[in-house]
Amino acid sequence: MAEKAVRNSVSLGVFLAVAAHPGVPFRVVELAGRGITATAAATRWVLEVGKSSLDGFTLADKLIDSGEKEDQLLQLWEEYGAGGVDVAAFEAWPSVPEGPVEDRSSGLRRVLGPGVDVL
């Protein structure tokens, strides 16, 4: 039995599939390569900087935003595979947030441990 490659990133899998697809133009392959690089840089930043420099709620907001972008990318790729969108949709897909990142931490409930003073 052949071993299956293990991937811990949905976006990495989509970028690799886009880059390997024979029907996409080189411009889209280039964007997929840039996406692979950005995904690796973001993962490295979270591990080396984000976890130690941000409070948990701020980091969670950033990871939630990243997950939403990943979901959008996966949906776009699935729609492309089904013939619902063309290659131009990948070129138009936003690579940077179009506005401020929404603060989702207000919806999270903080669990206080014993001995914590509540104001």
Side-chain angles (χ1 to χ4, degrees), residues 4-84:
K4 189 173 183 179
V6 176
R7 247 189 247 112
N8 62 0
S9 169
V10 171
S11 58
L12 178 59
V14 173
F15 289 135
L16 291 172
V18 169
H21 194 280
V24 298
F26 185 74
R27 173 71 181 131
V28 176
V29 173
E30 179 187 3
L31 291 172
R34 294 171 83 188
I36 291 168
T37 303
T39 299
T43 300
R44 186 173 180 180
W45 178 86
V46 167
L47 295 173
E48 295 178 0
V49 178
K51 288 176 78 173
S52 60
S53 66
L54 298 176
D55 67 273
F57 289 95
T58 303
L59 183 57
D61 287 343
K62 291 187 179 299
L63 294 175
I64 289 168
D65 184 56
S66 176
E68 289 173 353
K69 296 288 187 217
E70 190 171 78
D71 290 345
Q72 292 170 0
L73 178 64
L74 180 59
Q75 180 180 4
L76 180 64
W77 180 242
E78 289 173 347
E79 289 175 10
Y80 176 79

